Amino acid sequence: MGTTTVIELLSFENAVFRAYIFWVSVLILKMAMMSALTGSQRKRKQVFANDEDYGFLNMDGKSKPSKFGDPDIERIRRAHRNDLENCIPFMISALLYVLTDPSQFLAINLIRAAVIARIVHTFVYAIYGTQPARGICFFVCYLITIYMSISTVLSFF
């Protein structure tokens, strides 16, 4: 690690930090869209998690028993849970990695690749359900997170 200060590393003058802010914002928006996708799928299939949602969302004033286990909705929910399990550690690890003053080219492309992999992962998990594409996308982001974490540990050890 060079003589660059934390303030310099976390400034908009730092291209790596700007890339981090941009791509993590894209990732957060993608994760937020998963909630909307779950809700729209519930509305389309008329399958709600809470009894009161039937009357409210159907606008018929009638309540039906809640239902879990719809395969289409559960697939989206699993994709969303997978995001929570993997995107949050990536975001933290990538921010700490920015503090190591990494190579600009490498860091920007690692961040970009991880986020694009998560977007594609969601697409193939929640919509198409294809392997091995889902597994490849998962491991791209996972391995980048591990690399960034190890690099950070070694930089501060």
Side-chain angles (χ1 to χ4, degrees):
M1 191 156 101
T3 60
T4 309
T5 67
V6 171
I7 292 172
E8 291 170 318
L9 292 170
L10 297 179
S11 77
F12 294 122
E13 306 300 316
N14 181 0
V16 175
F17 184 63
R18 282 195 321 269
Y20 170 82
I21 294 293
F22 173 80
W23 285 104
V24 166
S25 295
V26 168
L27 191 58
I28 290 168
L29 289 170
K30 184 210 76 68
M31 291 173 66
M33 293 302 296
M34 294 302 291
S35 296
L37 183 59
T38 302
S40 68
Q41 187 77 327
R42 284 191 181 285
K43 177 67 175 152
R44 185 180 71 77
K45 297 192 84 175
Q46 298 292 295
V47 175
F48 303 107
N50 300 299
D51 295 346
E52 66 271 12
D53 294 343
Y54 278 99
F56 177 73
L57 294 171
N58 284 336
M59 305 300 186
D60 64 3
K62 297 177 185 170
S63 181
K64 298 179 186 174
S66 57
K67 179 181 175 190
F68 291 97
D70 180 87
D72 297 327
I73 295 168
E74 290 305 312
R75 186 175 250 336
I76 294 168
R77 290 182 70 225
R78 285 192 309 273
H80 194 181
R81 187 176 68 211
N82 190 280
D83 272 349
L84 295 172
E85 293 168 352
N86 292 281
C87 294
I88 293 170
F90 164 74
M91 289 186 261
I92 295 167
S93 180
L95 180 60
L96 296 175
Y97 181 66
V98 169
L99 295 175
T100 69
D101 197 16
S103 155
Q104 182 175 327
F105 176 81
L106 179 62
I108 290 171
N109 284 303
L110 286 174
I111 292 167
R112 181 183 296 141
V115 173
I116 291 170
R118 288 307 305 181
I119 291 168
V120 175
H121 178 270
T122 295
F123 187 73
V124 297
Y125 195 156
I127 299 169
Y128 284 106
T130 57
Q131 284 287 20
R134 190 177 96 211
I136 291 168
C137 292
F138 168 81
F139 278 109
V140 166
C141 186
Y142 178 78
L143 292 173
I144 289 171
T145 302
I146 296 300
Y147 171 80
M148 288 179 168
S149 296
I150 289 172
S151 292
T152 301
V153 167
L154 294 176
S155 291
F156 289 97
F157 182 61

mmCIF file of all heavy atoms in Angstrom, residues 43-86:
data_model
loop_
_atom_site.group_PDB
_atom_site.id
_atom_site.type_symbol
_atom_site.label_atom_id
_atom_site.label_comp_id
_atom_site.label_asym_id
_atom_site.label_seq_id
_atom_site.Cartn_x
_atom_site.Cartn_y
_atom_site.Cartn_z
ATOM 1 N N LYS A 43 -48.976 -10.839 -7.559
ATOM 2 C CA LYS A 43 -50.206 -10.225 -8.061
ATOM 3 C C LYS A 43 -50.696 -10.959 -9.305
ATOM 4 O O LYS A 43 -51.879 -11.261 -9.435
ATOM 5 C CB LYS A 43 -49.952 -8.734 -8.359
ATOM 6 C CG LYS A 43 -51.134 -8.013 -8.949
ATOM 7 C CD LYS A 43 -52.279 -7.886 -7.964
ATOM 8 C CE LYS A 43 -53.379 -7.040 -8.575
ATOM 9 N NZ LYS A 43 -54.682 -7.353 -8.067
ATOM 10 N N ARG A 44 -49.787 -11.249 -10.228
ATOM 11 C CA ARG A 44 -50.164 -11.926 -11.474
ATOM 12 C C ARG A 44 -50.759 -13.302 -11.208
ATOM 13 O O ARG A 44 -51.758 -13.682 -11.800
ATOM 14 C CB ARG A 44 -48.935 -12.067 -12.381
ATOM 15 C CG ARG A 44 -49.241 -12.660 -13.753
ATOM 16 C CD ARG A 44 -48.003 -12.788 -14.616
ATOM 17 N NE ARG A 44 -47.088 -13.826 -14.180
ATOM 18 C CZ ARG A 44 -47.255 -15.127 -14.377
ATOM 19 N NH1 ARG A 44 -48.337 -15.568 -14.977
ATOM 20 N NH2 ARG A 44 -46.359 -15.991 -13.964
ATOM 21 N N LYS A 45 -50.167 -14.045 -10.270
ATOM 22 C CA LYS A 45 -50.632 -15.402 -9.981
ATOM 23 C C LYS A 45 -51.683 -15.448 -8.880
ATOM 24 O O LYS A 45 -52.202 -16.518 -8.580
ATOM 25 C CB LYS A 45 -49.438 -16.280 -9.614
ATOM 26 C CG LYS A 45 -48.459 -16.416 -10.792
ATOM 27 C CD LYS A 45 -47.458 -17.470 -10.553
ATOM 28 C CE LYS A 45 -48.103 -18.772 -10.951
ATOM 29 N NZ LYS A 45 -47.216 -19.920 -10.892
ATOM 30 N N GLN A 46 -51.963 -14.282 -8.266
ATOM 31 C CA GLN A 46 -52.923 -14.203 -7.168
ATOM 32 C C GLN A 46 -52.545 -15.145 -6.023
ATOM 33 O O GLN A 46 -53.385 -15.853 -5.463
ATOM 34 C CB GLN A 46 -54.344 -14.528 -7.676
ATOM 35 C CG GLN A 46 -54.858 -13.552 -8.716
ATOM 36 C CD GLN A 46 -55.103 -12.177 -8.124
ATOM 37 O OE1 GLN A 46 -55.960 -11.987 -7.287
ATOM 38 N NE2 GLN A 46 -54.329 -11.196 -8.566
ATOM 39 N N VAL A 47 -51.261 -15.124 -5.687
ATOM 40 C CA VAL A 47 -50.725 -15.934 -4.593
ATOM 41 C C VAL A 47 -50.012 -14.988 -3.644
ATOM 42 O O VAL A 47 -48.967 -14.434 -3.978
ATOM 43 C CB VAL A 47 -49.739 -16.999 -5.129
ATOM 44 C CG1 VAL A 47 -49.097 -17.760 -3.992
ATOM 45 C CG2 VAL A 47 -50.443 -17.945 -6.082
ATOM 46 N N PHE A 48 -50.608 -14.793 -2.464
ATOM 47 C CA PHE A 48 -50.078 -13.820 -1.525
ATOM 48 C C PHE A 48 -49.609 -14.497 -0.245
ATOM 49 O O PHE A 48 -50.116 -15.552 0.139
ATOM 50 C CB PHE A 48 -51.130 -12.755 -1.211
ATOM 51 C CG PHE A 48 -51.615 -12.065 -2.446
ATOM 52 C CD1 PHE A 48 -52.884 -12.326 -2.946
ATOM 53 C CD2 PHE A 48 -50.796 -11.181 -3.124
ATOM 54 C CE1 PHE A 48 -53.328 -11.703 -4.099
ATOM 55 C CE2 PHE A 48 -51.240 -10.550 -4.279
ATOM 56 C CZ PHE A 48 -52.508 -10.808 -4.767
ATOM 57 N N ALA A 49 -48.659 -13.875 0.433
ATOM 58 C CA ALA A 49 -48.069 -14.450 1.636
ATOM 59 C C ALA A 49 -48.912 -14.175 2.881
ATOM 60 O O ALA A 49 -48.777 -14.870 3.874
ATOM 61 C CB ALA A 49 -46.661 -13.894 1.837
ATOM 62 N N ASN A 50 -49.761 -13.166 2.824
ATOM 63 C CA ASN A 50 -50.573 -12.801 3.982
ATOM 64 C C ASN A 50 -52.051 -12.805 3.603
ATOM 65 O O ASN A 50 -52.419 -12.337 2.527
ATOM 66 C CB ASN A 50 -50.172 -11.406 4.485
ATOM 67 C CG ASN A 50 -48.719 -11.366 4.889
ATOM 68 O OD1 ASN A 50 -48.312 -12.080 5.787
ATOM 69 N ND2 ASN A 50 -47.933 -10.551 4.205
ATOM 70 N N ASP A 51 -52.869 -13.282 4.521
ATOM 71 C CA ASP A 51 -54.305 -13.373 4.254
ATOM 72 C C ASP A 51 -54.909 -12.031 3.853
ATOM 73 O O ASP A 51 -55.705 -11.950 2.928
ATOM 74 C CB ASP A 51 -55.044 -13.904 5.490
ATOM 75 C CG ASP A 51 -54.649 -15.335 5.831
ATOM 76 O OD1 ASP A 51 -54.027 -16.003 4.989
ATOM 77 O OD2 ASP A 51 -54.987 -15.767 6.941
ATOM 78 N N GLU A 52 -54.523 -10.970 4.553
ATOM 79 C CA GLU A 52 -55.131 -9.670 4.287
ATOM 80 C C GLU A 52 -54.758 -9.100 2.914
ATOM 81 O O GLU A 52 -55.439 -8.221 2.404
ATOM 82 C CB GLU A 52 -54.770 -8.668 5.393
ATOM 83 C CG GLU A 52 -53.306 -8.297 5.464
ATOM 84 C CD GLU A 52 -52.463 -9.201 6.357
ATOM 85 O OE1 GLU A 52 -52.940 -10.279 6.764
ATOM 86 O OE2 GLU A 52 -51.318 -8.828 6.642
ATOM 87 N N ASP A 53 -53.682 -9.611 2.317
ATOM 88 C CA ASP A 53 -53.271 -9.105 1.001
ATOM 89 C C ASP A 53 -54.282 -9.477 -0.090
ATOM 90 O O ASP A 53 -54.409 -8.759 -1.073
ATOM 91 C CB ASP A 53 -51.895 -9.631 0.617
ATOM 92 C CG ASP A 53 -50.806 -9.086 1.526
ATOM 93 O OD1 ASP A 53 -51.063 -8.084 2.226
ATOM 94 O OD2 ASP A 53 -49.707 -9.658 1.536
ATOM 95 N N TYR A 54 -54.987 -10.581 0.080
ATOM 96 C CA TYR A 54 -55.981 -10.972 -0.920
ATOM 97 C C TYR A 54 -57.056 -9.907 -1.063
ATOM 98 O O TYR A 54 -57.351 -9.453 -2.158
ATOM 99 C CB TYR A 54 -56.631 -12.317 -0.555
ATOM 100 C CG TYR A 54 -55.807 -13.492 -0.966
ATOM 101 C CD1 TYR A 54 -55.000 -14.143 -0.050
ATOM 102 C CD2 TYR A 54 -55.830 -13.956 -2.272
ATOM 103 C CE1 TYR A 54 -54.236 -15.226 -0.420
ATOM 104 C CE2 TYR A 54 -55.063 -15.039 -2.651
ATOM 105 C CZ TYR A 54 -54.268 -15.677 -1.726
ATOM 106 O OH TYR A 54 -53.507 -16.745 -2.097
ATOM 107 N N GLY A 55 -57.633 -9.518 0.037
ATOM 108 C CA GLY A 55 -58.694 -8.527 -0.014
ATOM 109 C C GLY A 55 -58.189 -7.179 -0.476
ATOM 110 O O GLY A 55 -58.815 -6.513 -1.293
ATOM 111 N N PHE A 56 -57.032 -6.772 -0.006
ATOM 112 C CA PHE A 56 -56.480 -5.464 -0.350
ATOM 113 C C PHE A 56 -56.043 -5.406 -1.812
ATOM 114 O O PHE A 56 -56.387 -4.487 -2.535
ATOM 115 C CB PHE A 56 -55.301 -5.143 0.569
ATOM 116 C CG PHE A 56 -54.628 -3.845 0.240
ATOM 117 C CD1 PHE A 56 -55.250 -2.638 0.546
ATOM 118 C CD2 PHE A 56 -53.390 -3.827 -0.361
ATOM 119 C CE1 PHE A 56 -54.638 -1.439 0.240
ATOM 120 C CE2 PHE A 56 -52.771 -2.632 -0.665
ATOM 121 C CZ PHE A 56 -53.399 -1.432 -0.363
ATOM 122 N N LEU A 57 -55.312 -6.401 -2.241
ATOM 123 C CA LEU A 57 -54.756 -6.367 -3.593
ATOM 124 C C LEU A 57 -55.746 -6.822 -4.663
ATOM 125 O O LEU A 57 -55.602 -6.460 -5.821
ATOM 126 C CB LEU A 57 -53.473 -7.184 -3.665
ATOM 127 C CG LEU A 57 -52.331 -6.602 -2.829
ATOM 128 C CD1 LEU A 57 -51.162 -7.556 -2.767
ATOM 129 C CD2 LEU A 57 -51.888 -5.257 -3.386
ATOM 130 N N ASN A 58 -56.721 -7.602 -4.286
ATOM 131 C CA ASN A 58 -57.742 -8.004 -5.258
ATOM 132 C C ASN A 58 -58.849 -6.969 -5.362
ATOM 133 O O ASN A 58 -59.653 -7.007 -6.272
ATOM 134 C CB ASN A 58 -58.368 -9.349 -4.872
ATOM 135 C CG ASN A 58 -57.450 -10.500 -5.197
ATOM 136 O OD1 ASN A 58 -56.590 -10.385 -6.058
ATOM 137 N ND2 ASN A 58 -57.629 -11.597 -4.507
ATOM 138 N N MET A 59 -58.909 -6.101 -4.381
ATOM 139 C CA MET A 59 -59.924 -5.058 -4.327
ATOM 140 C C MET A 59 -61.338 -5.624 -4.277
ATOM 141 O O MET A 59 -62.278 -4.955 -4.625
ATOM 142 C CB MET A 59 -59.804 -4.070 -5.502
ATOM 143 C CG MET A 59 -58.456 -3.439 -5.653
ATOM 144 S SD MET A 59 -58.041 -2.510 -4.172
ATOM 145 C CE MET A 59 -56.536 -1.753 -4.678
ATOM 146 N N ASP A 60 -61.466 -6.882 -3.883
ATOM 147 C CA ASP A 60 -62.806 -7.468 -3.778
ATOM 148 C C ASP A 60 -63.270 -7.561 -2.330
ATOM 149 O O ASP A 60 -64.376 -7.998 -2.057
ATOM 150 C CB ASP A 60 -62.853 -8.844 -4.446
ATOM 151 C CG ASP A 60 -61.962 -9.872 -3.767
ATOM 152 O OD1 ASP A 60 -61.332 -9.554 -2.734
ATOM 153 O OD2 ASP A 60 -61.884 -11.001 -4.270
ATOM 154 N N GLY A 61 -62.384 -7.176 -1.426
ATOM 155 C CA GLY A 61 -62.741 -7.174 -0.018
ATOM 156 C C GLY A 61 -62.796 -8.556 0.602
ATOM 157 O O GLY A 61 -63.099 -8.707 1.766
ATOM 158 N N LYS A 62 -62.498 -9.582 -0.158
ATOM 159 C CA LYS A 62 -62.552 -10.949 0.355
ATOM 160 C C LYS A 62 -61.157 -11.388 0.781
ATOM 161 O O LYS A 62 -60.170 -11.058 0.148
ATOM 162 C CB LYS A 62 -63.083 -11.900 -0.716
ATOM 163 C CG LYS A 62 -64.507 -11.586 -1.130
ATOM 164 C CD LYS A 62 -64.945 -12.514 -2.232
ATOM 165 C CE LYS A 62 -66.327 -12.120 -2.722
ATOM 166 N NZ LYS A 62 -66.705 -12.831 -3.922
ATOM 167 N N SER A 63 -61.115 -12.152 1.820
ATOM 168 C CA SER A 63 -59.851 -12.682 2.309
ATOM 169 C C SER A 63 -59.778 -14.166 1.982
ATOM 170 O O SER A 63 -60.755 -14.888 2.124
ATOM 171 C CB SER A 63 -59.756 -12.469 3.816
ATOM 172 O OG SER A 63 -58.541 -12.964 4.291
ATOM 173 N N LYS A 64 -58.631 -14.596 1.510
ATOM 174 C CA LYS A 64 -58.382 -16.010 1.228
ATOM 175 C C LYS A 64 -57.172 -16.429 2.051
ATOM 176 O O LYS A 64 -56.380 -15.587 2.450
ATOM 177 C CB LYS A 64 -58.092 -16.212 -0.260
ATOM 178 C CG LYS A 64 -59.241 -15.831 -1.174
ATOM 179 C CD LYS A 64 -58.831 -16.044 -2.616
ATOM 180 C CE LYS A 64 -59.902 -15.538 -3.553
ATOM 181 N NZ LYS A 64 -59.503 -15.595 -4.945
ATOM 182 N N PRO A 65 -57.019 -17.701 2.278
ATOM 183 C CA PRO A 65 -55.849 -18.133 3.051
ATOM 184 C C PRO A 65 -54.556 -17.864 2.284
ATOM 185 O O PRO A 65 -54.506 -18.004 1.063
ATOM 186 C CB PRO A 65 -56.083 -19.629 3.249
ATOM 187 C CG PRO A 65 -57.075 -20.019 2.220
ATOM 188 C CD PRO A 65 -57.879 -18.802 1.894
ATOM 189 N N SER A 66 -53.534 -17.468 3.026
ATOM 190 C CA SER A 66 -52.251 -17.217 2.384
ATOM 191 C C SER A 66 -51.680 -18.524 1.855
ATOM 192 O O SER A 66 -52.054 -19.606 2.285
ATOM 193 C CB SER A 66 -51.289 -16.567 3.376
ATOM 194 O OG SER A 66 -51.153 -17.383 4.508
ATOM 195 N N LYS A 67 -50.761 -18.381 0.912
ATOM 196 C CA LYS A 67 -50.202 -19.564 0.277
ATOM 197 C C LYS A 67 -48.706 -19.383 0.078
ATOM 198 O O LYS A 67 -48.254 -18.332 -0.353
ATOM 199 C CB LYS A 67 -50.870 -19.801 -1.076
ATOM 200 C CG LYS A 67 -50.340 -21.006 -1.816
ATOM 201 C CD LYS A 67 -51.010 -21.176 -3.154
ATOM 202 C CE LYS A 67 -50.370 -22.317 -3.918
ATOM 203 N NZ LYS A 67 -50.828 -22.375 -5.286
ATOM 204 N N PHE A 68 -47.975 -20.394 0.403
ATOM 205 C CA PHE A 68 -46.540 -20.422 0.164
ATOM 206 C C PHE A 68 -46.242 -21.614 -0.732
ATOM 207 O O PHE A 68 -47.026 -22.541 -0.841
ATOM 208 C CB PHE A 68 -45.762 -20.559 1.470
ATOM 209 C CG PHE A 68 -45.845 -19.340 2.335
ATOM 210 C CD1 PHE A 68 -46.757 -19.270 3.371
ATOM 211 C CD2 PHE A 68 -45.016 -18.257 2.103
ATOM 212 C CE1 PHE A 68 -46.837 -18.150 4.173
ATOM 213 C CE2 PHE A 68 -45.092 -17.123 2.895
ATOM 214 C CZ PHE A 68 -46.006 -17.071 3.935
ATOM 215 N N GLY A 69 -45.116 -21.568 -1.374
ATOM 216 C CA GLY A 69 -44.676 -22.724 -2.135
ATOM 217 C C GLY A 69 -44.933 -22.659 -3.622
ATOM 218 O O GLY A 69 -44.629 -23.623 -4.324
ATOM 219 N N ASP A 70 -45.488 -21.560 -4.135
ATOM 220 C CA ASP A 70 -45.654 -21.463 -5.584
ATOM 221 C C ASP A 70 -44.263 -21.506 -6.220
ATOM 222 O O ASP A 70 -43.383 -20.718 -5.865
ATOM 223 C CB ASP A 70 -46.350 -20.153 -5.963
ATOM 224 C CG ASP A 70 -46.533 -20.032 -7.455
ATOM 225 O OD1 ASP A 70 -47.557 -20.533 -7.965
ATOM 226 O OD2 ASP A 70 -45.634 -19.456 -8.119
ATOM 227 N N PRO A 71 -44.019 -22.426 -7.161
ATOM 228 C CA PRO A 71 -42.662 -22.607 -7.693
ATOM 229 C C PRO A 71 -42.098 -21.361 -8.390
ATOM 230 O O PRO A 71 -40.900 -21.090 -8.275
ATOM 231 C CB PRO A 71 -42.795 -23.775 -8.668
ATOM 232 C CG PRO A 71 -44.246 -23.990 -8.877
ATOM 233 C CD PRO A 71 -44.964 -23.380 -7.727
ATOM 234 N N ASP A 72 -42.924 -20.604 -9.087
ATOM 235 C CA ASP A 72 -42.427 -19.403 -9.782
ATOM 236 C C ASP A 72 -42.035 -18.312 -8.793
ATOM 237 O O ASP A 72 -40.999 -17.658 -8.949
ATOM 238 C CB ASP A 72 -43.479 -18.878 -10.753
ATOM 239 C CG ASP A 72 -43.801 -19.870 -11.857
ATOM 240 O OD1 ASP A 72 -42.876 -20.614 -12.266
ATOM 241 O OD2 ASP A 72 -44.953 -19.909 -12.301
ATOM 242 N N ILE A 73 -42.855 -18.123 -7.784
ATOM 243 C CA ILE A 73 -42.566 -17.106 -6.774
ATOM 244 C C ILE A 73 -41.377 -17.527 -5.923
ATOM 245 O O ILE A 73 -40.493 -16.717 -5.624
ATOM 246 C CB ILE A 73 -43.812 -16.832 -5.909
ATOM 247 C CG1 ILE A 73 -44.908 -16.222 -6.779
ATOM 248 C CG2 ILE A 73 -43.472 -15.924 -4.734
ATOM 249 C CD1 ILE A 73 -46.264 -16.170 -6.135
ATOM 250 N N GLU A 74 -41.334 -18.786 -5.559
ATOM 251 C CA GLU A 74 -40.225 -19.274 -4.733
ATOM 252 C C GLU A 74 -38.896 -19.173 -5.466
ATOM 253 O O GLU A 74 -37.863 -18.908 -4.857
ATOM 254 C CB GLU A 74 -40.486 -20.698 -4.257
ATOM 255 C CG GLU A 74 -41.596 -20.795 -3.228
ATOM 256 C CD GLU A 74 -41.373 -19.889 -2.026
ATOM 257 O OE1 GLU A 74 -40.259 -19.886 -1.448
ATOM 258 O OE2 GLU A 74 -42.313 -19.166 -1.647
ATOM 259 N N ARG A 75 -38.887 -19.363 -6.763
ATOM 260 C CA ARG A 75 -37.653 -19.227 -7.548
ATOM 261 C C ARG A 75 -37.131 -17.802 -7.458
ATOM 262 O O ARG A 75 -35.937 -17.575 -7.254
ATOM 263 C CB ARG A 75 -37.893 -19.617 -8.998
ATOM 264 C CG ARG A 75 -36.599 -19.629 -9.816
ATOM 265 C CD ARG A 75 -36.829 -20.132 -11.197
ATOM 266 N NE ARG A 75 -36.330 -21.385 -11.625
ATOM 267 C CZ ARG A 75 -35.321 -22.107 -11.181
ATOM 268 N NH1 ARG A 75 -34.671 -21.746 -10.145
ATOM 269 N NH2 ARG A 75 -34.947 -23.213 -11.741
ATOM 270 N N ILE A 76 -38.017 -16.834 -7.583
ATOM 271 C CA ILE A 76 -37.615 -15.422 -7.483
ATOM 272 C C ILE A 76 -37.138 -15.123 -6.069
ATOM 273 O O ILE A 76 -36.120 -14.442 -5.877
ATOM 274 C CB ILE A 76 -38.778 -14.501 -7.889
ATOM 275 C CG1 ILE A 76 -39.103 -14.692 -9.368
ATOM 276 C CG2 ILE A 76 -38.444 -13.047 -7.602
ATOM 277 C CD1 ILE A 76 -40.401 -14.051 -9.808
ATOM 278 N N ARG A 77 -37.837 -15.632 -5.079
ATOM 279 C CA ARG A 77 -37.443 -15.400 -3.685
ATOM 280 C C ARG A 77 -36.073 -16.021 -3.392
ATOM 281 O O ARG A 77 -35.259 -15.433 -2.682
ATOM 282 C CB ARG A 77 -38.492 -15.959 -2.731
ATOM 283 C CG ARG A 77 -39.797 -15.154 -2.764
ATOM 284 C CD ARG A 77 -40.832 -15.651 -1.784
ATOM 285 N NE ARG A 77 -40.375 -15.344 -0.446
ATOM 286 C CZ ARG A 77 -40.418 -16.196 0.583
ATOM 287 N NH1 ARG A 77 -40.934 -17.385 0.424
ATOM 288 N NH2 ARG A 77 -39.989 -15.850 1.759
ATOM 289 N N ARG A 78 -35.810 -17.198 -3.947
ATOM 290 C CA ARG A 78 -34.488 -17.819 -3.744
ATOM 291 C C ARG A 78 -33.394 -16.998 -4.423
ATOM 292 O O ARG A 78 -32.297 -16.842 -3.884
ATOM 293 C CB ARG A 78 -34.489 -19.261 -4.258
ATOM 294 C CG ARG A 78 -35.221 -20.226 -3.358
ATOM 295 C CD ARG A 78 -34.960 -21.683 -3.726
ATOM 296 N NE ARG A 78 -35.173 -21.987 -5.130
ATOM 297 C CZ ARG A 78 -36.339 -22.336 -5.669
ATOM 298 N NH1 ARG A 78 -37.425 -22.401 -4.912
ATOM 299 N NH2 ARG A 78 -36.431 -22.623 -6.952
ATOM 300 N N ALA A 79 -33.693 -16.474 -5.601
ATOM 301 C CA ALA A 79 -32.722 -15.614 -6.293
ATOM 302 C C ALA A 79 -32.445 -14.359 -5.468
ATOM 303 O O ALA A 79 -31.298 -13.918 -5.357
ATOM 304 C CB ALA A 79 -33.233 -15.249 -7.681
ATOM 305 N N HIS A 80 -33.504 -13.798 -4.873
ATOM 306 C CA HIS A 80 -33.349 -12.606 -4.044
ATOM 307 C C HIS A 80 -32.534 -12.932 -2.787
ATOM 308 O O HIS A 80 -31.634 -12.174 -2.401
ATOM 309 C CB HIS A 80 -34.727 -12.075 -3.668
ATOM 310 C CG HIS A 80 -34.704 -10.694 -3.117
ATOM 311 N ND1 HIS A 80 -35.844 -10.053 -2.707
ATOM 312 C CD2 HIS A 80 -33.711 -9.809 -2.899
ATOM 313 C CE1 HIS A 80 -35.534 -8.849 -2.263
ATOM 314 N NE2 HIS A 80 -34.246 -8.684 -2.367
ATOM 315 N N ARG A 81 -32.825 -14.050 -2.165
ATOM 316 C CA ARG A 81 -32.064 -14.464 -0.982
ATOM 317 C C ARG A 81 -30.598 -14.710 -1.346
ATOM 318 O O ARG A 81 -29.686 -14.336 -0.598
ATOM 319 C CB ARG A 81 -32.672 -15.718 -0.354
ATOM 320 C CG ARG A 81 -31.992 -16.058 0.974
ATOM 321 C CD ARG A 81 -32.630 -17.219 1.668
ATOM 322 N NE ARG A 81 -32.381 -18.426 0.888
ATOM 323 C CZ ARG A 81 -33.213 -19.450 0.836
ATOM 324 N NH1 ARG A 81 -34.351 -19.433 1.496
ATOM 325 N NH2 ARG A 81 -32.923 -20.512 0.118
ATOM 326 N N ASN A 82 -30.363 -15.298 -2.511
ATOM 327 C CA ASN A 82 -28.998 -15.515 -2.973
ATOM 328 C C ASN A 82 -28.277 -14.175 -3.131
ATOM 329 O O ASN A 82 -27.100 -14.051 -2.805
ATOM 330 C CB ASN A 82 -29.001 -16.303 -4.286
ATOM 331 C CG ASN A 82 -27.629 -16.759 -4.673
ATOM 332 O OD1 ASN A 82 -26.843 -15.984 -5.209
ATOM 333 N ND2 ASN A 82 -27.340 -18.024 -4.408
ATOM 334 N N ASP A 83 -28.996 -13.154 -3.621
ATOM 335 C CA ASP A 83 -28.423 -11.805 -3.701
ATOM 336 C C ASP A 83 -28.009 -11.304 -2.329
ATOM 337 O O ASP A 83 -26.912 -10.781 -2.156
ATOM 338 C CB ASP A 83 -29.443 -10.814 -4.279
ATOM 339 C CG ASP A 83 -29.417 -10.739 -5.781
ATOM 340 O OD1 ASP A 83 -28.491 -11.287 -6.403
ATOM 341 O OD2 ASP A 83 -30.331 -10.106 -6.339
ATOM 342 N N LEU A 84 -28.899 -11.437 -1.357
ATOM 343 C CA LEU A 84 -28.600 -10.953 -0.014
ATOM 344 C C LEU A 84 -27.391 -11.667 0.581
ATOM 345 O O LEU A 84 -26.583 -11.068 1.286
ATOM 346 C CB LEU A 84 -29.815 -11.117 0.889
ATOM 347 C CG LEU A 84 -31.034 -10.279 0.494
ATOM 348 C CD1 LEU A 84 -32.235 -10.670 1.343
ATOM 349 C CD2 LEU A 84 -30.738 -8.799 0.615
ATOM 350 N N GLU A 85 -27.259 -12.951 0.275
ATOM 351 C CA GLU A 85 -26.147 -13.736 0.811
ATOM 352 C C GLU A 85 -24.832 -13.433 0.120
ATOM 353 O O GLU A 85 -23.764 -13.680 0.692
ATOM 354 C CB GLU A 85 -26.454 -15.231 0.679
ATOM 355 C CG GLU A 85 -27.604 -15.690 1.549
ATOM 356 C CD GLU A 85 -28.084 -17.092 1.208
ATOM 357 O OE1 GLU A 85 -27.627 -17.669 0.189
ATOM 358 O OE2 GLU A 85 -28.923 -17.619 1.948
ATOM 359 N N ASN A 86 -24.872 -12.930 -1.103
ATOM 360 C CA ASN A 86 -23.643 -12.744 -1.872
ATOM 361 C C ASN A 86 -23.315 -11.300 -2.215
ATOM 362 O O ASN A 86 -22.142 -10.929 -2.249
ATOM 363 C CB ASN A 86 -23.709 -13.583 -3.155
ATOM 364 C CG ASN A 86 -23.672 -15.048 -2.844
ATOM 365 O OD1 ASN A 86 -22.620 -15.597 -2.586
ATOM 366 N ND2 ASN A 86 -24.838 -15.692 -2.815
#
